[in-house]
């Protein structure tokens, strides 16, 4: 079955978004919080396999020269089939003309490297829970 690419947040099951992020080991919040974050984003991408949401991602951006990618995830049973790359390609298309930054989950750097992204040497972050981010390998 072909996947269906959607860019709109309407009819998204935010509970499933939260559950998926949890399943793949990423930061997850209450469904309503994800709805607010995705709806406030510059671009959102959702992949459906039939009626089933199998992956998504989003970017915040000024729409002129800077963009940042967040919450890229593919449900485990659909991983390694090119869907993560498809999500990123669609996000990057919509950020054309922008510098794009993101922070990869530890161990996922190679996935982004294959899309042309390079490691930043001077990336700095002010995380809400620095101890946890340090424990998870995101910051020194
Ligand atoms: C990371 C993730 C989005 C990749 O999606 P995916 O659909 O499994 O990846 P794709 O099949 O599109 O892979 C594209 C390429 O990246 C490679 N790749 C995918 N995951 C990789 C990983 N963890 N490490 C190294 N390479 C990886 C694939 O082998 C493929 O390479 P190829 O072009 O040489 O064949 C997905 O595995 C996922 O949701 N993981 C859990 C959540 C997560 O960590 N998200 C990223 C947060 S920063």
């Amino acid at each position: 079955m072909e996947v269906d690419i959607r860019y709109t947040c309407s009819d998204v099951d935010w509970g499933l978004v939260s559950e998926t992020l949890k399943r793949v080991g990423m930061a997850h919040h209450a469904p309503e919080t994800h709805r607010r974050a995705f709806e406030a984003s510059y671009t959102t991408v959702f992949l459906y396999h039939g009626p089933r949401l199998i992956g998504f991602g989003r970017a915040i951006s000024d729409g002129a020269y800077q963009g940042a990618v967040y919450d890229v995830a593919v449900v485990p049973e659909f991983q390694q089939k090119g869907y993560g790359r498809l999500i990123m390609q669609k996000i990057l298309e919509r950020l054309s003309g922008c510098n794009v930054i993101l922070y990869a989950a530890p161990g996922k750097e190679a996935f982004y490297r294959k899309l042309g992204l390079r490691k930043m040497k001077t990336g700095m972050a002010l995380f809400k829970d620095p101890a946890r981010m340090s424990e998870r390998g995101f910051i020194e």
Side-chain angles (χ1 to χ4, degrees):
M1 189 184 283
E2 286 281 304
V3 290
D4 187 10
I5 305 166
R6 297 187 202 161
Y7 299 101
T8 164
C9 288
S10 54
D11 300 327
V12 170
D13 180 343
W14 301 109
L16 193 51
V17 169
S18 177
E19 204 179 287
T20 300
L21 289 169
K22 184 177 179 185
R23 267 186 86 197
V24 301
M26 288 171 68
H28 56 94
H29 305 276
E32 171 61 16
T33 306
H34 290 301
R35 183 190 67 76
R36 280 199 285 125
F38 276 75
E39 285 186 355
S41 296
Y42 179 75
T43 189
T44 55
V45 176
F46 302 93
L47 291 191
Y48 285 85
H49 188 259
R52 183 172 177 199
L53 179 63
I54 62 158
F56 47 78
R58 68 184 180 96
I60 56 175
S61 177
D62 49 33
Y65 51 88
Q66 301 292 356
V69 175
Y70 293 95
D71 294 338
V72 174
V74 175
V75 297
E77 49 278 35
F78 283 87
Q79 288 178 7
Q80 297 295 323
K81 297 178 191 297
Y83 295 133
R85 177 173 36 223
L86 180 63
I87 292 166
M88 277 301 296
Q89 283 169 342
K90 295 300 170 190
I91 291 174
L92 293 174
E93 269 174 33
R94 295 179 141 227
L95 292 175
S96 71
C98 289
N99 292 321
V100 177
I101 61 168
L102 58 81
Y103 55 93
K108 301 291 160 43
E109 297 92 328
F111 166 69
Y112 292 108
R113 204 173 292 123
K114 286 186 170 173
L115 286 152
L117 283 85
R118 297 180 62 183
K119 221 167 199 174
M120 290 173 68
K121 285 189 175 175
T122 61
M124 306 287 286
L126 186 62
F127 287 115
K128 285 177 70 176
D129 189 348
R132 184 163 183 271
M133 294 307 271
S134 171
E135 208 172 275
R136 296 189 64 207
F138 284 99
I139 50 173
E140 296 171 344

